[in-house]
């Protein structure tokens, strides 16, 4: 397997502006992309099928990743379909919901790296020259879903702290009012 920079460059060079997304058939795209992983033609790779209701962002990510895996020079072998399927049907929709414009996933270097690392994590692949610890540390540091989770937890903690402060203020005001009456 090559270094992560190779795969990031492949995604950044993906010709995303010349694609008519409404005509994309994701079942066919993934079947073609993964054909080199299996020796014979596969009628249906996944237990699930695509609904044809995928957003343009989801379709674009599917196209980018399928092209990345199809690339004959990528040195990625032995992809397990059962490891890829949850990534395709669960993670990709979450990623597209997390980051608004889908162009971020093909133009922003950090988002591209996140996308590639997320895929490799799902497939249990390790880029050349990286330790497992470094790989997951880097993924965690750029993970949009993790960042959103942390922001939501922080917001909830701030709201709880504000509620406690408001309660303390009310109690202080009541105590002051009671003291003044006595």
């Amino acid at each position: 397997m090559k270094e992560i920079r190779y795969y990031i460059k492949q995604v950044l060079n993906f010709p995303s502006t010349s694609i008519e997304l409404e005509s994309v058939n994701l079942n066919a795209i993934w079947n073609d992309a993964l054909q080199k992983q299996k020796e014979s033609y596969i009628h249906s790779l996944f237990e699930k099928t695509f609904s044809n209701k995928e957003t343009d962002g989801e379709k674009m990510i599917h196209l980018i990743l399928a092209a990345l895996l199809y690339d004959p020079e990528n040195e990625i072998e032995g992809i397990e379909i059962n490891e890829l399927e949850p990534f395709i049907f669960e993670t990709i929709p979450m990623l597209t919901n997390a980051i608004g414009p889908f162009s971020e996933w093909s133009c922003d270097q950090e988002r591209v790296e996140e996308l590639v690392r997320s895929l490799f994590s799902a497939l249990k692949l390790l880029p050349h020259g990286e330790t497992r610890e470094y790989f997951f540390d880097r993924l965690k540091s750029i993970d949009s879903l993790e960042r959103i989770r942390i922001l939501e937890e922080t917001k909830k903690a701030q709201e709880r702290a504000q509620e406690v402060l408001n309660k303390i203020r009310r109690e202080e005001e009541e105590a002051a009012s009671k003291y003044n009456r006595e």
Side-chain angles (χ1 to χ4, degrees):
M1 188 162 183
K2 296 185 178 192
E3 291 182 1
I4 195 83
R5 291 179 294 175
Y6 173 82
Y7 304 103
I8 292 170
K9 185 177 177 184
Q10 293 300 100
V11 173
L12 290 170
N13 290 333
F14 185 79
S16 58
T17 57
S18 61
I19 298 171
E20 293 179 32
L21 293 171
E22 54 278 344
S23 64
V24 170
N25 181 326
L26 294 176
N27 290 307
I29 296 293
W30 278 109
N31 187 61
D32 291 350
L34 296 172
Q35 191 122 33
K36 74 176 191 174
Q37 300 296 322
K38 300 289 180 183
E39 293 175 9
S40 61
Y41 180 79
I42 303 162
H43 201 58
S44 178
L45 288 169
F46 306 117
E47 289 183 23
K48 293 182 180 181
T49 58
F50 294 97
S51 65
N52 294 327
K53 294 180 183 177
E54 289 79 17
T55 66
D56 286 350
E58 288 176 74
K59 287 180 182 179
M60 185 58 70
I61 289 179
H62 284 286
L63 288 169
I64 289 168
L65 295 177
L68 183 73
L69 294 177
Y70 182 76
D71 176 18
E73 296 178 17
N74 70 15
E75 297 180 6
I76 298 172
E77 295 179 4
I79 293 174
E80 293 293 328
I81 302 301
N82 61 344
E83 293 173 349
L84 181 60
E85 190 167 1
F87 180 80
I88 287 176
F89 290 100
E90 296 166 19
T91 306
I92 289 177
M94 287 190 306
L95 290 173
T96 55
N97 288 334
I99 302 295
F102 65 81
S103 60
E104 296 258 340
W105 294 107
S106 60
C107 299
D108 180 86
Q109 183 143 357
E110 192 167 273
R111 294 292 64 80
V112 170
E113 182 179 354
E114 175 185 358
L115 185 60
V116 172
R117 286 184 184 278
S118 296
L119 174 66
F120 289 175
S121 175
L123 296 175
K124 298 178 176 74
L125 299 173
L126 197 60
H128 177 75
E130 291 189 15
T131 64
R132 191 163 193 72
E133 293 77 24
Y134 175 80
F135 176 83
F136 285 108
D137 185 52
R138 180 66 185 149
L139 176 58
K140 191 171 183 176
S141 72
I142 59 174
D143 188 344
S144 297
L145 299 175
E146 180 71 10
R147 187 177 308 123
I148 289 170
R149 185 188 67 74
I150 290 169
L151 289 172
E152 287 174 357
E153 285 179 6
T154 302
K155 183 179 176 183
K156 288 177 184 176
Q158 288 174 338
E159 289 171 355
R160 283 192 302 271
Q162 188 63 43
E163 287 174 13
V164 169
L165 285 173
N166 290 340
K167 184 177 178 182
I168 291 171
R169 284 186 189 129
R170 282 192 303 271
E171 289 174 358
E172 287 175 345
E173 289 172 3
E174 287 174 11
S177 173
K178 196 178 204 183
Y179 180 76
N180 287 338
R181 280 186 262 144
E182 292 177 1

